[in-house]
Amino acid sequence: DCGANVRVYTELFCQWVGEKGFVVAFEPFADSCDLIRERVPSCPWLQIENIALSDSDTTGKLQTGAESVENHIAISTEAQEDDGTVPVVISRGDTVCKRLGRMPNIIKLDVEAFEEEVLAGMGEMLASPELRNLLVEVHFKKLELRGRPMAPVRIEKQLRSKGFTTRWIDASHIFATR
């Protein structure tokens, strides 16, 4: 669950996989991680990773807004000292898979217009036949504001190049299957 926010999908995934499965919730906002722990308190097959995913292993700043849905990783030129940003660890999905020693079967991706970068950090995951499905929420307006209006086209192309069939299940979600 990439961009777990406050747990809605994380909780569902934990119920679906049960004790024989394993769920990893990625959420860069520490307060949201705390909410997940409160709302899914007794689930030993859940691992909460207080990190952001992207296309490199580095550190950055999380720009926080009045509501958690406004949180995003600050681009270096937009982050200033004491401007409402908090430090955050940024990792490639492939790096996390190696560290955990696990490959996902399903990925839900909701990363507020950083879909392309996160997928770029998942090259080995996307190539793995173990990964069967992805649900990608595409944030068109935010992508345009970032100067990336063609990102949805590139995302679909990248997924298809890794052997996935893609379809839009609504106006903002790509469902990819293998």
Side-chain angles (χ1 to χ4, degrees):
D1 188 358
C2 306
N5 198 342
V6 295
R7 72 80 183 107
V8 174
Y9 284 99
T10 300
E11 188 172 19
L12 287 171
F13 294 150
C14 287
Q15 292 170 5
W16 291 339
V17 303
E19 62 187 42
K20 293 182 181 178
F22 190 71
V23 175
V24 181
F26 295 95
E27 176 53 50
F29 192 52
D31 290 352
S32 293
C33 289
D34 292 341
L35 286 172
I36 295 168
R37 286 183 190 94
E38 288 174 19
R39 295 179 179 179
V40 190
S42 57
C43 185
W45 54 91
L46 170 61
Q47 178 153 337
I48 301 167
E49 295 277 335
N50 183 206
I51 64 174
L53 294 175
S54 192
D55 55 358
S56 62
D57 297 315
T58 187
T59 57
K61 291 189 175 187
L62 177 67
Q63 179 71 48
T64 58
E67 298 180 22
S68 63
V69 296
E70 296 177 6
N71 297 339
H72 66 278
I73 302 303
I75 300 167
S76 59
T77 57
E78 68 179 277
Q80 305 292 324
E81 288 294 318
D82 300 322
D83 65 351
T85 62
V86 293
V88 64
V89 172
I90 301 170
S91 293
R92 295 171 61 251
D94 289 340
T95 301
V96 176
C97 276
K98 287 176 185 165
R99 178 171 50 83
L100 297 177
R102 296 175 178 266
M103 186 62 68
N105 302 113
I106 299 170
I107 294 174
K108 185 278 289 179
L109 189 64
D110 180 3
V111 291
E112 306 300 316
F114 286 83
E115 301 87 0
E116 203 169 14
E117 291 92 337
V118 172
L119 290 169
M122 295 180 169
E124 293 173 33
M125 294 166 63
L126 294 176
S128 171
E130 290 178 65
L131 180 59
R132 296 186 313 263
N133 299 296
L134 286 97
L135 178 64
V136 181
E137 183 167 352
V138 178
H139 297 269
F140 288 95
K141 186 173 183 173
K142 291 179 182 182
L143 285 166
E144 283 187 38
L145 291 172
R146 290 189 64 220
R148 301 174 77 100
M150 296 305 294
V153 172
R154 291 189 300 267
I155 289 167
E156 277 195 283
K157 185 177 180 179
Q158 179 185 18
L159 294 172
R160 289 180 183 146
S161 75
K162 297 293 185 178
F164 289 93
T165 301
T166 62
R167 68 182 172 100
W168 289 87
I169 58 172
D170 63 25
S172 62
H173 290 87
I174 299 171
F175 185 62
T177 59
R178 181 179 348 250

